[in-house]
Amino acid sequence: LDFVSYDGTDDLVWNQRYSELMKFKEEFGHCKVYTRSDLGTWVVDMRRLRKEGRKKIITPKRIELLDDIGFLWSGLPEGQARTDPRGQTRQHRAVGRLHNMLSFS
């Protein structure tokens, strides 16, 4: 396991999640991580920690790193629906399930 310290600390978990977020952005082109995942939980935690002013955990360096890759501190922009990693909204998935149910009748 190669450890890369993006934030200059030895915090393995933070740096691993940051690395995962960079890979997610590279693959999907954004940082809107589906919240029902380990990475999504971490993203929500980062937003909460910053909002609470927990500067020992969400340091200025970490904020800068997250800002540099387009991290959304307030969650989704107004009017935008949450999507899963495939870009599907909850409504889109529900319609798909309904369609599947109706095709079996």
Side-chain angles (χ1 to χ4, degrees):
L1 176 70
D2 294 323
F3 174 72
V4 177
S5 178
Y6 298 97
D7 67 348
T9 72
D10 61 357
D11 185 336
L12 181 65
V13 173
W14 196 93
N15 285 284
Q16 282 180 326
R17 291 289 187 240
Y18 181 74
S19 178
E20 290 172 27
L21 183 60
M22 288 192 307
K23 289 175 187 168
F24 182 93
K25 174 149 188 202
E26 186 176 312
E27 183 175 347
F28 296 105
H30 59 76
C31 293
K32 297 176 274 186
V33 180
Y34 190 58
T35 57
R36 292 185 183 161
S37 67
D38 290 341
L39 182 58
T41 298
W42 181 82
V43 164
V44 169
D45 287 345
M46 293 303 104
R47 289 183 185 132
R48 179 183 50 79
L49 291 167
R50 183 174 185 205
K51 186 176 181 179
E52 292 173 358
R54 308 270 303 272
K55 293 182 181 176
K56 284 189 174 190
I57 299 171
I58 188 73
T59 63
K61 177 65 177 174
R62 289 176 174 180
I63 291 170
E64 178 185 349
L65 288 166
L66 291 166
D67 283 344
D68 287 348
I69 62 169
F71 189 82
L72 297 173
W73 291 103
S74 60
L76 296 172
E78 188 174 329
Q80 187 171 354
R82 185 171 311 280
T83 59
D84 67 12
R86 295 168 298 191
Q88 294 183 334
T89 64
R90 188 175 293 157
Q91 180 180 5
H92 184 264
R93 290 188 307 275
V95 168
R97 285 191 301 271
L98 178 60
H99 176 69
N100 287 340
M101 288 176 12
L102 292 175
S103 61
F104 286 115
S105 28

